[in-house]
Coordinates of all heavy atoms in Angstrom, one line a residue:
M1 N 104.2 102.4 79.7 CA 104.4 103.6 80.6 C 103.5 104.7 80.1 O 103.4 105.0 78.9 CB 105.8 104.0 80.5 CG 106.8 103.2 81.4 SD 106.2 103.2 83.1 CE 107.7 103.6 83.9
T2 N 103.0 105.4 81.1 CA 102.2 106.6 80.8 C 103.1 107.8 80.6 O 104.2 107.8 81.1 CB 101.2 106.9 81.9 OG1 101.9 107.1 83.1 CG2 100.2 105.7 82.0
T3 N 102.6 108.8 79.9 CA 103.4 110.0 79.6 C 103.3 110.9 80.8 O 102.4 110.8 81.6 CB 102.9 110.7 78.4 OG1 101.6 111.2 78.6 CG2 103.0 109.8 77.1
A4 N 104.2 111.8 80.9 CA 104.2 112.8 82.0 C 102.9 113.6 82.0 O 102.3 114.0 83.0 CB 105.4 113.7 82.0
K5 N 102.5 113.9 80.7 CA 101.3 114.7 80.6 C 100.0 114.0 81.1 O 99.2 114.6 81.8 CB 101.1 115.0 79.1 CG 99.9 115.9 78.8 CD 99.8 116.2 77.3 CE 98.6 117.0 77.0 NZ 98.5 117.3 75.5
S6 N 99.9 112.7 80.8 CA 98.8 111.9 81.3 C 98.8 111.7 82.8 O 97.8 111.7 83.5 CB 98.6 110.6 80.5 OG 99.7 109.8 80.8
Q7 N 100.0 111.5 83.3 CA 100.2 111.4 84.8 C 99.7 112.7 85.5 O 99.0 112.7 86.5 CB 101.6 111.1 85.2 CG 102.0 109.7 84.9 CD 103.5 109.4 85.2 OE1 104.2 110.3 85.4 NE2 103.8 108.1 85.2
K8 N 100.1 113.9 84.9 CA 99.8 115.1 85.5 C 98.2 115.3 85.4 O 97.6 115.8 86.4 CB 100.5 116.3 84.8 CG 100.1 117.7 85.4 CD 100.8 118.8 84.7 CE 100.5 120.2 85.2 NZ 99.4 120.4 86.1
K9 N 97.7 114.9 84.3 CA 96.2 115.0 84.2 C 95.5 114.2 85.2 O 94.5 114.7 85.9 CB 95.8 114.6 82.8 CG 94.3 114.7 82.5 CD 94.0 114.3 81.1 CE 92.5 114.4 80.8 NZ 92.2 113.9 79.4
W10 N 96.0 113.0 85.5 CA 95.4 112.1 86.5 C 95.5 112.7 87.9 O 94.6 112.8 88.6 CB 96.0 110.7 86.4 CG 95.4 109.7 87.4 CD1 94.4 108.9 87.1 CD2 95.7 109.5 88.7 NE1 94.1 108.1 88.2 CE2 94.9 108.5 89.2 CE3 96.6 110.1 89.6 CZ2 94.9 108.0 90.5 CZ3 96.7 109.6 90.9 CH2 95.8 108.6 91.4
R11 N 96.7 113.2 88.2 CA 97.0 113.8 89.5 C 96.1 115.0 89.7 O 95.6 115.2 90.8 CB 98.4 114.1 89.7 CG 99.3 112.8 89.9 CD 100.7 113.2 90.2 NE 101.6 112.0 90.2 CZ 102.4 111.7 89.2 NH1 102.6 112.4 88.2 NH2 103.1 110.6 89.3
D12 N 96.0 115.9 88.7 CA 95.2 117.1 88.8 C 93.7 116.7 89.1 O 93.0 117.3 89.9 CB 95.3 117.9 87.6 CG 96.7 118.6 87.5 OD1 97.4 118.6 88.5 OD2 97.0 119.1 86.4
K13 N 93.2 115.7 88.4 CA 91.8 115.3 88.5 C 91.5 114.7 89.8 O 90.5 114.9 90.4 CB 91.5 114.3 87.4 CG 90.1 113.8 87.4 CD 89.8 112.8 86.3 CE 88.4 112.3 86.3 NZ 88.2 111.3 85.2
H14 N 92.4 113.9 90.4 CA 92.2 113.2 91.6 C 92.9 113.7 92.8 O 92.9 113.0 93.9 CB 92.5 111.7 91.4 CG 91.7 111.1 90.3 ND1 90.4 110.8 90.4 CD2 92.1 110.7 89.1 CE1 90.0 110.2 89.3 NE2 91.0 110.1 88.5
R15 N 93.5 114.8 92.8 CA 94.5 115.3 93.8 C 93.8 115.3 95.2 O 94.5 115.2 96.2 CB 95.1 116.6 93.5 CG 94.3 117.8 93.6 CD 95.0 119.0 93.1 NE 94.3 120.3 93.4 CZ 93.2 120.7 92.8 NH1 92.6 119.9 91.9 NH2 92.7 121.8 93.1
L16 N 92.5 115.6 95.3 CA 91.9 115.7 96.6 C 91.5 114.4 97.2 O 91.2 114.3 98.4 CB 90.7 116.7 96.5 CG 91.0 118.1 96.1 CD1 89.8 118.9 95.9 CD2 92.0 118.7 97.1
V17 N 91.3 113.3 96.4 CA 90.8 112.1 96.9 C 91.6 110.9 96.7 O 91.4 109.8 97.3 CB 89.4 111.8 96.3 CG1 88.4 112.8 96.8 CG2 89.5 111.7 94.8
K18 N 92.7 110.9 95.9 CA 93.5 109.8 95.6 C 95.0 110.1 95.6 O 95.3 111.2 95.4 CB 93.1 109.2 94.3 CG 91.8 108.6 94.1 CD 91.6 108.0 92.8 CE 90.2 107.3 92.6 NZ 90.1 106.7 91.3
T19 N 95.8 109.1 95.9 CA 97.2 109.2 95.7 C 97.6 107.9 95.0 O 97.0 106.8 95.2 CB 98.0 109.3 97.0 OG1 97.7 108.1 97.8 CG2 97.7 110.5 97.8
Q20 N 98.5 108.0 94.1 CA 99.0 106.9 93.3 C 99.9 106.0 94.1 O 100.7 106.5 94.9 CB 99.7 107.4 92.1 CG 99.9 106.3 91.0 CD 100.4 106.9 89.7 OE1 100.5 108.1 89.6 NE2 100.7 106.1 88.8
L21 N 99.6 104.7 94.0 CA 100.4 103.7 94.8 C 101.1 102.8 93.8 O 100.4 102.0 93.1 CB 99.5 102.9 95.7 CG 100.1 101.8 96.5 CD1 101.2 102.3 97.5 CD2 99.1 101.0 97.3
N22 N 102.4 102.8 93.7 CA 103.1 101.9 92.8 C 104.0 101.0 93.7 O 104.8 101.5 94.4 CB 104.0 102.7 91.9 CG 103.3 103.5 90.9 OD1 102.2 103.1 90.4 ND2 103.8 104.7 90.6
V23 N 103.7 99.7 93.7 CA 104.4 98.8 94.5 C 104.9 97.6 93.6 O 104.2 97.2 92.7 CB 103.6 98.3 95.7 CG1 103.3 99.4 96.7 CG2 102.3 97.6 95.2
M24 N 106.1 97.2 94.0 CA 106.6 95.9 93.4 C 106.1 94.8 94.2 O 106.1 94.8 95.4 CB 108.1 95.9 93.3 CG 108.7 97.0 92.4 SD 108.3 96.7 90.7 CE 109.2 95.2 90.4
A25 N 105.5 93.8 93.6 CA 105.0 92.6 94.3 C 105.3 91.4 93.5 O 105.4 91.4 92.3 CB 103.5 92.8 94.5
R26 N 105.3 90.3 94.2 CA 105.6 89.0 93.5 C 104.5 88.7 92.5 O 103.4 89.2 92.6 CB 105.6 87.9 94.5 CG 106.8 87.8 95.4 CD 106.7 86.6 96.3 NE 107.9 86.6 97.2 CZ 109.0 85.9 96.9 NH1 109.0 85.1 95.8 NH2 110.0 85.9 97.7
K27 N 104.8 88.0 91.5 CA 103.9 87.6 90.4 C 102.7 86.9 91.0 O 101.5 87.2 90.6 CB 104.6 86.7 89.4 CG 103.7 86.4 88.2 CD 104.5 85.7 87.1 CE 103.6 85.4 85.9 NZ 104.3 84.7 84.9
S28 N 102.8 86.1 92.0 CA 101.7 85.4 92.6 C 100.7 86.4 93.3 O 99.5 86.2 93.2 CB 102.2 84.4 93.7 OG 102.8 85.1 94.8
V29 N 101.2 87.5 93.8 CA 100.3 88.5 94.3 C 99.5 89.2 93.2 O 98.3 89.3 93.4 CB 101.1 89.6 95.1 CG1 100.2 90.8 95.5 CG2 101.8 89.0 96.3
H30 N 100.1 89.5 92.1 CA 99.4 90.0 90.9 C 98.3 89.0 90.5 O 97.2 89.4 90.1 CB 100.3 90.3 89.8 CG 101.1 91.6 90.1 ND1 100.7 92.8 89.7 CD2 102.4 91.7 90.6 CE1 101.6 93.7 90.1 NE2 102.6 93.1 90.6
E31 N 98.7 87.7 90.5 CA 97.7 86.7 90.0 C 96.6 86.6 91.0 O 95.4 86.5 90.6 CB 98.4 85.3 89.9 CG 99.4 85.3 88.7 CD 100.4 84.1 88.8 OE1 100.3 83.3 89.7 OE2 101.1 84.0 87.8
E32 N 96.8 86.7 92.3 CA 95.8 86.7 93.3 C 94.9 87.9 93.1 O 93.6 87.8 93.3 CB 96.3 86.6 94.7 CG 97.0 85.3 95.1 CD 96.0 84.2 95.1 OE1 94.8 84.4 95.4 OE2 96.4 83.1 94.8
L33 N 95.4 89.1 92.9 CA 94.6 90.3 92.7 C 93.7 90.1 91.4 O 92.6 90.5 91.5 CB 95.5 91.5 92.6 CG 96.2 91.9 93.9 CD1 97.2 93.0 93.6 CD2 95.2 92.4 94.9
D34 N 94.3 89.6 90.4 CA 93.5 89.3 89.2 C 92.3 88.3 89.5 O 91.2 88.6 89.1 CB 94.3 88.7 88.0 CG 95.2 89.8 87.3 OD1 94.7 90.9 87.2 OD2 96.2 89.4 86.8
S35 N 92.6 87.3 90.3 CA 91.6 86.3 90.6 C 90.5 87.0 91.5 O 89.3 86.7 91.3 CB 92.3 85.2 91.4 OG 91.3 84.2 91.8
M36 N 90.9 87.8 92.5 CA 90.0 88.5 93.3 C 89.1 89.4 92.5 O 87.9 89.4 92.7 CB 90.7 89.3 94.4 CG 91.2 88.6 95.5 SD 92.1 89.7 96.7 CE 90.8 90.8 97.2
A37 N 89.7 90.1 91.5 CA 88.9 91.0 90.7 C 87.8 90.2 89.9 O 86.7 90.7 89.8 CB 89.8 91.7 89.7
Q38 N 88.2 89.1 89.4 CA 87.3 88.2 88.6 C 86.2 87.7 89.6 O 85.0 87.7 89.3 CB 88.0 87.1 87.9 CG 87.1 86.3 87.0 CD 87.9 85.4 86.1 OE1 89.0 85.1 86.4 NE2 87.2 84.8 85.1
T39 N 86.6 87.1 90.7 CA 85.7 86.4 91.6 C 84.6 87.4 92.2 O 83.5 87.0 92.3 CB 86.5 85.8 92.8 OG1 87.4 84.8 92.2 CG2 85.6 85.1 93.8
F40 N 85.1 88.6 92.5 CA 84.2 89.6 93.1 C 83.7 90.7 92.2 O 83.1 91.7 92.7 CB 84.8 90.2 94.4 CG 85.1 89.2 95.5 CD1 86.4 88.7 95.6 CD2 84.1 88.7 96.3 CE1 86.7 87.7 96.6 CE2 84.3 87.7 97.2 CZ 85.6 87.3 97.4
D41 N 83.8 90.4 90.9 CA 83.3 91.4 89.9 C 83.9 92.8 90.1 O 83.1 93.8 90.1 CB 81.8 91.4 89.9 CG 81.2 92.1 88.6 OD1 81.9 92.0 87.6 OD2 80.1 92.6 88.7
L42 N 85.2 92.9 90.3 CA 85.8 94.1 90.5 C 86.4 94.6 89.1 O 86.5 93.8 88.2 CB 86.9 94.0 91.5 CG 86.5 93.4 92.9 CD1 87.6 93.1 93.8 CD2 85.5 94.4 93.5
R43 N 86.9 95.9 89.1 CA 87.3 96.5 87.8 C 88.8 96.3 87.6 O 89.4 96.9 86.7 CB 87.0 97.9 87.8 CG 85.5 98.2 87.6 CD 85.1 99.6 87.6 NE 85.3 100.2 88.9 CZ 84.7 101.3 89.3 NH1 83.9 101.9 88.5 NH2 84.9 101.7 90.5
G44 N 89.5 95.5 88.3 CA 90.9 95.2 88.1 C 91.7 95.1 89.4 O 91.1 95.1 90.5
K45 N 93.0 95.1 89.3 CA 93.8 94.9 90.4 C 93.8 96.0 91.4 O 93.8 95.8 92.6 CB 95.3 94.6 90.0 CG 95.4 93.2 89.3 CD 96.9 92.9 89.1 CE 97.5 93.7 87.9 NZ 98.8 93.2 87.6
G46 N 93.7 97.2 90.9 CA 93.6 98.4 91.8 C 92.4 98.3 92.7 O 92.4 98.6 93.9
E47 N 91.3 98.0 92.1 CA 90.0 97.8 92.9 C 90.1 96.6 93.8 O 89.6 96.6 94.9 CB 88.8 97.7 92.0 CG 87.5 98.0 92.7 CD 86.3 98.2 91.8 OE1 85.9 97.3 91.2 OE2 85.8 99.4 91.8
A48 N 90.8 95.6 93.4 CA 91.0 94.4 94.3 C 91.8 94.8 95.5 O 91.6 94.3 96.6 CB 91.7 93.3 93.5
V49 N 92.8 95.7 95.4 CA 93.6 96.1 96.5 C 92.6 96.9 97.5 O 92.7 96.7 98.7 CB 94.8 97.0 96.1 CG1 95.4 97.7 97.3 CG2 95.8 96.2 95.3
S50 N 91.8 97.8 96.9 CA 90.9 98.5 97.7 C 89.9 97.6 98.4 O 89.6 97.7 99.6 CB 90.1 99.5 96.9 OG 90.9 100.4 96.3
F51 N 89.4 96.5 97.7 CA 88.5 95.6 98.3 C 89.2 94.8 99.4 O 88.6 94.5 100.5 CB 88.0 94.6 97.2 CG 87.0 93.6 97.7 CD1 85.7 94.1 98.1 CD2 87.2 92.3 97.6 CE1 84.8 93.2 98.5 CE2 86.2 91.4 98.0 CZ 85.0 91.8 98.5
A52 N 90.5 94.4 99.2 CA 91.2 93.7 100.3 C 91.3 94.5 101.5 O 91.2 94.1 102.7 CB 92.6 93.3 99.8
A53 N 91.6 95.8 101.4 CA 91.7 96.7 102.5 C 90.3 96.9 103.2 O 90.2 96.9 104.4 CB 92.2 98.1 102.1
F54 N 89.3 96.9 102.4 CA 87.9 97.0 102.9 C 87.6 95.7 103.7 O 87.0 95.8 104.8 CB 86.9 97.2 101.8 CG 85.5 97.0 102.2 CD1 84.8 98.0 102.8 CD2 84.8 95.8 101.9 CE1 83.4 97.9 103.2 CE2 83.5 95.6 102.3 CZ 82.8 96.6 102.9
M55 N 87.9 94.6 103.2 CA 87.6 93.3 103.9 C 88.4 93.2 105.2 O 87.9 92.7 106.2 CB 87.9 92.1 103.0 CG 87.0 91.9 101.8 SD 87.2 90.4 101.0 CE 88.9 90.3 100.6
T56 N 89.6 93.7 105.1 CA 90.5 93.6 106.3 C 89.9 94.5 107.4 O 89.8 94.1 108.6 CB 91.9 94.1 106.0 OG1 92.4 93.2 105.0 CG2 92.8 94.0 107.3
R57 N 89.5 95.7 107.0 CA 88.9 96.7 108.0 C 87.6 96.1 108.6 O 87.3 96.1 109.8 CB 88.6 98.0 107.3 CG 87.8 99.0 108.1 CD 88.3 99.4 109.5 NE 89.7 99.7 109.4 CZ 90.5 99.7 110.5 NH1 90.0 99.4 111.7 NH2 91.8 100.1 110.4
A58 N 86.8 95.4 107.7 CA 85.5 94.8 108.2 C 85.8 93.7 109.2 O 85.1 93.5 110.2 CB 84.7 94.3 107.0
L59 N 86.9 92.9 108.9 CA 87.2 91.8 109.8 C 87.7 92.3 111.1 O 87.4 91.8 112.2 CB 88.3 90.9 109.1 CG 88.7 89.7 109.9 CD1 87.5 88.7 110.2 CD2 89.8 88.9 109.1
I60 N 88.5 93.4 111.1 CA 89.0 94.0 112.3 C 87.8 94.5 113.2 O 87.7 94.3 114.4 CB 90.0 95.1 112.0 CG1 91.3 94.5 111.5 CG2 90.2 96.0 113.3 CD1 92.2 95.6 110.9
Q61 N 86.8 95.1 112.5 CA 85.6 95.6 113.2 C 84.8 94.5 113.8 O 84.3 94.5 114.9 CB 84.8 96.5 112.3 CG 85.5 97.8 112.0 CD 84.7 98.6 110.9 OE1 83.8 98.2 110.3 NE2 85.2 99.9 110.8
R62 N 84.6 93.4 113.0 CA 83.9 92.3 113.4 C 84.5 91.6 114.6 O 83.9 91.1 115.5 CB 83.7 91.3 112.2 CG 83.0 90.0 112.5 CD 81.5 90.0 112.3 NE 80.9 90.8 111.4 CZ 80.3 90.3 110.3 NH1 80.2 89.1 110.0 NH2 79.7 91.2 109.5
A63 N 85.9 91.6 114.6 CA 86.6 90.9 115.7 C 86.4 91.6 117.0 O 86.6 91.0 118.1 CB 88.1 90.9 115.3
D64 N 86.0 92.9 117.0 CA 85.7 93.6 118.2 C 84.6 93.0 119.1 O 84.6 93.1 120.3 CB 85.4 95.1 118.0 CG 86.6 95.9 117.6 OD1 87.8 95.4 117.8 OD2 86.4 97.0 117.0
Y65 N 83.7 92.3 118.4 CA 82.6 91.7 119.1 C 82.3 90.3 118.8 O 81.3 89.7 119.3 CB 81.3 92.6 118.9 CG 80.8 92.6 117.5 CD1 79.9 91.7 117.0 CD2 81.2 93.7 116.7 CE1 79.5 91.8 115.7 CE2 80.8 93.8 115.4 CZ 79.9 92.8 114.9 OH 79.5 92.9 113.6
N66 N 83.1 89.7 118.0 CA 82.9 88.3 117.6 C 84.2 87.5 117.8 O 85.2 87.8 117.2 CB 82.5 88.2 116.1 CG 82.2 86.8 115.6 OD1 83.1 85.9 115.7 ND2 81.0 86.6 115.1
T67 N 84.2 86.6 118.7 CA 85.4 85.9 119.1 C 86.0 85.0 118.0 O 87.2 84.8 117.8 CB 85.2 85.0 120.4 OG1 84.2 84.1 120.1 CG2 84.9 85.8 121.6
E68 N 85.1 84.4 117.1 CA 85.5 83.6 116.0 C 86.3 84.5 115.0 O 87.3 84.1 114.5 CB 84.3 82.9 115.3 CG 84.7 82.1 114.1 CD 85.6 80.9 114.5 OE1 85.7 80.5 115.7 OE2 86.3 80.4 113.6
A69 N 85.7 85.7 114.7 CA 86.4 86.6 113.8 C 87.7 87.1 114.4 O 88.7 87.2 113.7 CB 85.5 87.8 113.5
A70 N 87.8 87.3 115.7 CA 89.1 87.7 116.4 C 90.1 86.6 116.2 O 91.3 86.8 116.0 CB 88.8 88.0 117.8
R71 N 89.6 85.3 116.4 CA 90.6 84.2 116.3 C 91.1 84.1 114.8 O 92.3 83.8 114.6 CB 89.9 82.9 116.7 CG 90.8 81.7 116.7 CD 90.1 80.4 117.0 NE 89.1 80.0 116.0 CZ 89.5 79.5 114.8 NH1 90.7 79.4 114.5 NH2 88.6 79.2 113.9
M72 N 90.2 84.2 113.8 CA 90.6 84.2 112.4 C 91.6 85.3 112.1 O 92.6 85.0 111.5 CB 89.4 84.3 111.5 CG 88.5 83.1 111.5 SD 86.9 83.4 110.5 CE 87.6 83.9 109.0
L73 N 91.3 86.5 112.6 CA 92.3 87.6 112.4 C 93.6 87.3 113.0 O 94.7 87.5 112.3 CB 91.7 88.9 113.0 CG 92.4 90.2 112.7 CD1 92.5 90.4 111.2 CD2 91.7 91.3 113.4
D74 N 93.7 86.8 114.2 CA 94.9 86.4 114.8 C 95.6 85.3 114.0 O 96.8 85.3 113.9 CB 94.7 85.9 116.3 CG 94.3 87.0 117.2 OD1 94.6 88.2 116.9 OD2 93.8 86.7 118.3
D75 N 94.9 84.3 113.6 CA 95.5 83.2 112.8 C 96.1 83.7 111.5 O 97.2 83.3 111.1 CB 94.4 82.1 112.5 CG 94.0 81.3 113.7 OD1 94.7 81.4 114.7 OD2 93.0 80.6 113.6
F76 N 95.3 84.6 110.8 CA 95.8 85.2 109.5 C 97.1 86.0 109.8 O 98.1 85.9 109.0 CB 94.8 86.1 108.9 CG 93.5 85.4 108.4 CD1 92.3 86.0 108.3 CD2 93.5 84.0 108.1 CE1 91.2 85.4 107.9 CE2 92.4 83.4 107.7 CZ 91.2 84.1 107.6
N77 N 97.1 86.8 110.8 CA 98.2 87.6 111.2 C 99.5 86.8 111.5 O 100.5 87.0 110.9 CB 97.9 88.5 112.4 CG 99.0 89.5 112.7 OD1 99.7 90.0 111.8 ND2 99.2 89.7 114.0
E78 N 99.3 85.7 112.3 CA 100.4 84.8 112.6 C 100.9 84.1 111.4 O 102.1 84.0 111.2 CB 99.9 83.8 113.7 CG 101.0 82.9 114.1 CD 100.4 81.9 115.2 OE1 99.6 82.3 116.0 OE2 100.9 80.7 115.1
A79 N 100.0 83.6 110.6 CA 100.4 82.9 109.4 C 101.2 83.8 108.4 O 102.2 83.4 107.8 CB 99.2 82.3 108.6
F80 N 100.7 85.0 108.2 CA 101.4 85.9 107.3 C 102.8 86.2 107.8 O 103.8 86.2 107.1 CB 100.6 87.2 107.1 CG 101.4 88.2 106.2 CD1 101.3 88.1 104.8 CD2 102.2 89.2 106.7 CE1 102.0 88.9 104.0 CE2 102.9 90.0 105.9 CZ 102.8 89.9 104.5
H81 N 102.9 86.5 109.1 CA 104.2 86.9 109.7 C 105.2 85.7 109.7 O 106.4 85.8 109.5 CB 104.1 87.4 111.1 CG 103.7 88.9 111.1 ND1 102.3 89.2 111.0 CD2 104.4 90.0 111.0 CE1 102.3 90.6 111.0 NE2 103.5 91.0 111.0
R82 N 104.6 84.5 109.8 CA 105.5 83.3 109.8 C 106.0 83.0 108.4 O 107.1 82.7 108.2 CB 104.6 82.1 110.3 CG 105.4 80.8 110.3 CD 104.5 79.6 110.5 NE 103.4 79.5 109.5 CZ 102.1 79.4 109.8 NH1 101.7 79.4 111.0 NH2 101.3 79.3 108.8
D83 N 105.2 83.3 107.4 CA 105.5 83.0 106.0 C 105.7 84.3 105.1 O 105.6 84.2 103.9 CB 104.4 82.1 105.4 CG 104.3 80.8 106.1 OD1 105.2 80.3 106.6 OD2 103.1 80.3 106.1
R84 N 106.0 85.4 105.8 CA 106.0 86.7 105.0 C 107.0 86.7 103.9 O 106.8 87.4 102.9 CB 106.2 87.8 106.0 CG 107.6 88.0 106.4 CD 107.9 89.2 107.4 NE 106.9 90.3 107.3 CZ 106.7 91.1 108.3 NH1 107.3 90.9 109.5 NH2 105.8 92.1 108.2
E85 N 108.1 85.9 103.9 CA 109.0 85.9 102.8 C 108.4 85.3 101.6 O 108.8 85.6 100.5 CB 110.2 85.0 103.2 CG 111.0 85.6 104.4 CD 111.5 87.0 104.1 OE1 112.0 87.3 103.0 OE2 111.4 87.9 105.0
L86 N 107.4 84.5 101.7 CA 106.7 83.9 100.5 C 105.8 85.0 99.8 O 105.5 84.9 98.7 CB 105.8 82.8 100.9 CG 106.4 81.5 101.5 CD1 105.4 80.5 102.0 CD2 107.3 80.9 100.4
Y87 N 105.4 86.0 100.6 CA 104.4 86.9 100.1 C 105.0 88.3 99.8 O 104.5 89.0 98.9 CB 103.2 87.1 101.1 CG 102.6 85.8 101.4 CD1 102.7 85.3 102.7 CD2 101.8 85.1 100.5 CE1 102.1 84.1 103.1 CE2 101.2 83.9 100.8 CZ 101.3 83.4 102.1 OH 100.7 82.2 102.4
S88 N 106.0 88.7 100.5 CA 106.5 90.1 100.5 C 107.7 90.4 99.6 O 107.7 91.4 98.9 CB 106.8 90.5 101.9 OG 105.7 90.5 102.7
N89 N 108.7 89.6 99.7 CA 109.9 90.0 99.0 C 110.0 89.6 97.5 O 109.5 89.0 96.8 CB 111.1 89.4 99.7 CG 111.4 90.1 101.0 OD1 111.0 91.2 101.2 ND2 112.1 89.4 101.8

């Protein structure tokens, strides 16, 4: 755990561009984030989360003009919602 002093220092330094995100996630999600970080030469799980958001945004934009990307996005969305208990709780 970080100290209150170091948390304040981080918040003061990044207050205009970042907010801290603390989420509880299944161990498998943490393992996937570690794997993504290694596979894509990222600096850790936090950057893997940012990269996943970036990839999702890119797929959504690509789906606007590419039917295959739109189909993939729909498939991913449907699969996640069908199996969300495996990933979320």
Side-chain angles (χ1 to χ4, degrees):
M1 278 303 227
T2 60
T3 65
K5 183 179 177 181
S6 64
Q7 286 178 346
K8 182 180 179 342
K9 183 178 176 183
W10 185 92
R11 286 187 187 104
D12 289 345
K13 180 179 178 183
H14 299 289
R15 75 183 189 291
L16 298 176
V17 294
K18 293 185 178 184
T19 58
Q20 193 168 356
L21 176 65
N22 295 324
V23 294
M24 293 294 292
R26 288 183 179 264
K27 187 174 180 177
S28 63
V29 171
H30 286 273
E31 291 167 354
E32 289 297 329
L33 290 170
D34 281 331
S35 176
M36 284 177 61
Q38 186 174 14
T39 300
F40 295 103
D41 194 29
L42 305 172
R43 292 181 287 205
K45 290 189 285 187
E47 197 168 67
V49 170
S50 297
F51 185 64
F54 169 81
M55 288 191 309
T56 303
R57 172 56 49 201
L59 182 58
I60 290 168
Q61 290 173 348
R62 176 91 31 114
D64 287 342
Y65 62 88
N66 182 303
T67 57
E68 181 63 19
R71 189 186 61 75
M72 288 173 57
L73 187 59
D74 288 342
D75 290 348
F76 296 153
N77 185 39
E78 182 182 320
F80 179 82
H81 282 88
R82 180 189 59 233
D83 300 330
R84 77 183 332 157
E85 297 303 318
L86 296 174
Y87 305 111
S88 297
N89 290 339

